[in-house]
Each structure stands twice: as C-alpha cells, then as structure tokens.
Amino acid sequence: MKEHESDEMEIISVIQAFQPSPTELFYRQIAAMPWNVEDKRPIRRWLLVAASITLIVAAFLTVPPLRTLAQDVIDSLFNRADGDAKTNTYIAVAPDAEYDPYSSLEQAAAQTSFPVSTPTIMPDGYFFEGAVWDGDQSAIFLSYIYGGGGRSLQITETTHAEIFREIGASTNIETVQIGDLTGEYVEGEWVVYDRPQGEAGETVTEEATWNPTAPSRSLRWQHGDITYEIWALGGSEDDPAYIGKEAMIEIAESMQ
Amino acid sequence: MKTHYQSKESFTELFNRTHLIVFRYIYGLHGGTVQDAEDLTAETFLRGWRARRSFQGDEDAAVSWLLQIARHLVIDQYRRKRVRPDEVDMKEDSAGSMSPEANFVEGEQQRKLWTVIHQLPAEQREMLVLRYTLGWRVNQIATHMNLNENTVSVTLRRILLKLQESWLREEQSHEGA
C-alpha cells in the first residue's frame, strides 16, 4: 500500500515538475495579433463592413421573389444509407496546425456562381468563423462557432444537392415549414467509436454507426436551384447555447 | 469583479496573466509538438479576441472561457481532416495517439510518463492537466468540466492507478529490452 502511495506521489511530482513554456517564436506570433497592432487602416475595415452589407442586400435583391412559389418537389432532401452502419476508407493525413481552410465571406462569395444567403440572426455567443468555397462541389460553407467552445453551426449552400452525406437508414425525417418553403429536419450523426490511427498516407478503414441521439442536427431546404443546410453540432437542450430545431428554422427564415 | 476585455489594453493584460495556463493546458491535452501547442494557444487568444464582446466575467471566468475555446480547438483540429466531416468522433480522444515531442520533455522519466499520459482518453488527460499541471482544486475542475466533485476525485484516483500500472509496464518493458 505504502509502495503504491509512494509511486503515486512520484507520478504527481513528475507531472507537477513539468511546466513547459512557449518559445520565442510564439511571442513573435503574438506580437502580430490584432490586440497588439495599431489600427492602421480603419477606413478599410469600414469598407469591408459596407461590402458585407452590400453583399447581403444584393443577395436579397437578386434572389427572385420565389418565396411564394412552390419549391421543386423531390422525394427527400436526405438520402438514406443502406443501413445504420457503414465502413469508411480514407487516406490518413498528418495533423497540420497551419491548416486553415477559411477565408472571409467576401472572398468565398466572390467565387460562387450563385448569390450567397447569410442569416440575419444568430444566437448570442456565436460568431462567424469563416467561409470556404469548394469549387469541385459548387458549395459554400459558412462556419459559426460558439465563443465558449464546444458548439458550432455550419451553413452549406450548393447547386449540387448530391454532395450531402447520407443519413442512417432508420433515421426519422421530419418535414418542417420554413417561411413559405418546406424543409426537412434530422437528428443524429455517424459516429466512429473506435477511430483507428493511421500514419500519414496510409489507407485507414473504420466503422461508422448512425447514432440518432448524437448531438448533431441538420435542417435542409431548397430554393430554386440551390440546396441549403444548417448543421448544428454539440450541446444539450438544457444548455443556453444549444441550437435546436426551432432556432434552426428561425435562422433559416432569416436567410430568405 | 466583473470585467470586460474589449479594449486592447485589457485584453493584453488578460493574455499576459493567462497565456502560460492556456499553453500548458493545450500542451497537456493535445499531445502534439510545442509548435502545435503554440499555434493552438495563439488561435485560442485570437478567437477569444474576436468573441470578447460576448464575454463578461472575472479573471477566473476568463481562464475557464479561454480553456473551453482551447479544448474545442484541440478537438476540432482532429475533426478537420476534411472541411466537412462525414462523421463525429464521439470519444473525442483521437488526439491521444500523438506522442509528445521527445526533446521538449526533458528527462527520461518525464518523457515516459507523458507518453503514458497521452494514451489516456481526452477527458482524463484534461482532468490530470487541470489538477496537477495547473494546480486547480477539485471543485474548480468539477465546475469547469460540469461534473460533480466526487466524480472528479474518484476519476483522478483511478487515473493515477492506471498511470502507475502503465508506467510500471513501460519500465519493465524497457528493462526487458
């Protein structure tokens, strides 16, 4: 017993003794952060704000008043997988701390072939993280993140509805009203319970299971040729930052 | 005392007081290289800066807020193998496969122990780092991780026992080699 306690104390003291500090490079990086640099171009910032407003207004003006027209009727906006389990195979990549896929909304929207809709409301605490334009999939992704962490919201707009991932075969698809449009709402996510670790470049095979209670919610709808998805990840219903179905519908309505 | 960190001066002060805490937390939780931990620490403060208007609280609350951002970033980094992941890793412990940068962790004993620590699930690593690297009290950890104090105490005890066993195995395997 005493030997165990002494081992335990040794472990604790070894952990406590390790107090790493950042290198000089880190402090150089921090010196360039926005709170450490002077606002040299405040006019440019206002131009960006003005450009954002113009873009949003333009999106509203260029989208035809189709709110009253019926949306294209298709079987479902969600495709079901063959079952509630699937096997994924992919090539492992090395973690890359430099990897940042995001650009500004303006930069991403400038590349799209369709007007980009942005929400005019967003729950408190969420802020815009960045946008990604994927030309191969003809899709723009707008990412919002909760300041406290752990929860995020992603909006996808695309002319290629087939890019969206499948859902588990047993998933309940709920039809919802989004203003004058009809949308579909789904809860659940593919979950990998035991993710294998592969060396970079190695082919990895993993088993994913559809979990209907996973903290992941998707709302999809179509307007003209464009399919939209709002995807809320994380949180539980008693969490003030939780974005549930009703909140997602309100966000979707604010995009019309 | 409730504080806003909206001005550059107040945010700089917050950075000066808390960046070592955030860096050590990320380094312990992430298990990657120093460069990774530095980049994630910088990103944590950048996100904190962008979201500063949504936060109001004292310095303890600010630390907790920054650590939540950091935790999200560490987990998120491993989710972003593609822009749009096909599924979610619910165990959130995929970071555990990374090895600490050997030359940064001085001493064989330290290196071995951190190798073992980085094989623990993310939640246990986080608890261990908060308790012993950052010196938080059990009640602070319980509040931060939304657990009750008893769960934290019992889990910490189990982690230490698990570390003891793993460490001994590590020692024996080295002796046998």
Side-chain angles (χ1 to χ4, degrees):
Chain A
M1 184 71 185
K2 285 219 182 263
E3 192 181 328
H4 273 217
E5 279 175 12
S6 124
D7 283 344
E8 197 174 302
M9 290 311 296
E10 192 178 351
I11 287 171
I12 291 171
S13 67
V14 172
I15 298 171
Q16 286 172 333
F18 182 57
Q19 296 289 334
S21 295
T23 65
E24 184 58 33
L25 281 174
F26 169 76
Y27 292 102
R28 278 189 221 158
Q29 194 179 353
I30 292 298
M33 289 290 177
W35 61 90
N36 283 323
V37 294
E38 286 180 32
D39 290 328
K40 289 178 183 167
R41 291 182 288 185
I43 294 171
R44 190 180 167 203
R45 181 183 292 176
W46 283 108
L47 281 174
L48 283 173
V49 172
S52 304
I53 293 168
T54 307
L55 189 73
I56 293 166
V57 171
F60 273 97
L61 292 176
T62 51
V63 173
L66 290 174
R67 291 169 215 175
T68 53
L69 296 181
Q71 73 178 107
D72 293 339
V73 177
I74 56 171
D75 289 343
S76 174
L77 295 165
F78 289 89
N79 291 323
R80 293 180 195 274
D82 293 335
D84 282 345
K86 62 175 183 174
T87 302
N88 298 322
T89 303
Y90 59 89
I91 307 291
V93 293
D96 181 3
E98 298 293 323
Y99 178 60
D100 181 3
Y102 296 114
S103 59
S104 69
L105 174 63
E106 294 77 16
Q107 286 168 330
Q111 300 174 74
T112 62
S113 55
F114 51 85
V116 177
S117 295
T118 53
T120 54
I121 58 166
M122 191 55 61
D124 287 346
Y126 282 81
F127 66 94
F128 180 64
E129 187 180 26
V132 180
W133 165 249
D134 185 335
D136 294 338
Q137 302 192 92
S138 192
I140 188 167
F141 304 91
L142 312 179
S143 180
Y144 297 81
I145 190 168
Y146 181 63
R151 292 159 289 271
S152 61
L153 185 136
Q154 185 170 277
I155 296 173
T156 305
E157 302 175 25
T158 180
T159 50
H160 291 25
E162 69 277 7
I163 67 162
F164 291 112
R165 71 203 188 290
E166 298 170 320
I167 56 172
S170 65
T171 314
N172 178 47
I173 301 174
E174 186 182 344
T175 302
V176 296
Q177 198 65 31
I178 304 169
D180 296 325
L181 302 174
T182 304
E184 290 179 344
Y185 173 78
V186 154
E187 291 184 351
E189 193 54 79
W190 292 104
V191 176
V192 178
Y193 289 100
D194 189 15
R195 191 182 290 283
Q197 301 298 325
E199 294 294 321
E202 202 173 88
T203 301
V204 176
T205 300
E206 64 186 18
E207 300 303 322
T209 307
W210 180 261
N211 182 344
T213 62
S216 174
R217 302 162 293 283
S218 302
L219 173 68
R220 289 185 200 163
W221 73 99
Q222 280 191 323
H223 191 185
D225 295 335
I226 304 171
T227 304
Y228 300 83
E229 180 188 67
I230 296 178
W231 180 46
L233 182 65
S236 55
E237 287 184 40
D238 54 354
D239 174 353
Y242 176 79
I243 300 182
K245 182 176 69 180
E246 299 307 325
M248 290 168 76
I249 291 173
E250 283 179 28
I251 293 169
E253 286 173 342
S254 83
M255 294 170 65
Q256 292 178 26
Chain B
M1 188 181 71
K2 295 271 184 186
T3 314
H4 286 285
Y5 296 100
Q6 294 193 19
S7 71
K8 290 183 173 183
E9 292 73 23
S10 59
F11 197 85
T12 300
E13 179 130 346
L14 176 68
F15 171 84
N16 290 340
R17 287 171 181 272
T18 61
H19 75 277
L20 280 179
I21 296 172
V22 175
F23 173 77
R24 286 168 185 165
Y25 171 83
I26 289 175
Y27 187 82
L29 186 61
H30 184 265
T33 64
V34 181
Q35 179 73 49
D36 286 340
E38 289 178 346
D39 287 344
L40 286 169
T41 305
E43 181 66 21
T44 298
F45 280 96
L46 185 59
R47 290 191 184 202
W49 169 255
R50 287 177 185 156
R52 65 194 184 282
R53 288 183 184 86
S54 67
F55 176 78
Q56 187 187 355
D58 60 16
E59 192 172 300
D60 285 347
V63 169
S64 191
W65 172 61
L66 288 166
L67 294 193
Q68 282 177 348
I69 297 175
R71 181 176 190 274
H72 180 82
L73 277 172
V74 170
I75 292 165
D76 203 36
Q77 190 185 50
Y78 289 91
R79 286 186 176 152
R80 282 191 193 171
K81 67 174 191 264
R82 279 168 286 186
V83 170
R84 182 70 158 91
D86 285 338
E87 60 281 311
V88 179
D89 187 351
M90 296 300 291
K91 283 171 74 179
E92 295 182 348
D93 63 355
S94 54
S97 67
M98 298 293 293
S99 298
E101 191 180 54
N103 60 5
F104 189 68
V105 182
E106 289 175 5
E108 185 68 4
Q109 197 181 34
Q110 289 273 14
R111 191 193 62 74
K112 277 182 195 168
L113 182 60
W114 280 93
T115 301
V116 173
I117 289 172
H118 284 118
Q119 287 163 0
L120 294 171
E123 191 179 61
Q124 295 186 7
R125 273 201 314 275
E126 182 176 19
M127 215 178 268
L128 205 68
V129 168
L130 290 172
R131 180 72 186 93
Y132 299 115
T133 304
L134 302 187
W136 283 24
R137 293 188 302 274
V138 167
N139 63 345
Q140 289 177 290
I141 299 171
T143 304
H144 178 74
M145 297 184 75
N146 201 21
L147 299 169
N148 70 48
E149 290 183 32
N150 190 46
T151 304
V152 174
S153 296
V154 170
T155 310
L156 278 168
R157 177 86 190 135
R158 283 186 186 148
I159 297 169
L160 287 172
L161 287 172
K162 196 194 285 188
L163 282 178
Q164 257 176 262
E165 288 168 13
S166 305
W167 200 15
L168 282 173
R169 270 203 305 272
E170 179 92 357
E171 294 271 303
Q172 282 162 359
S173 70
H174 274 259
E175 281 167 16

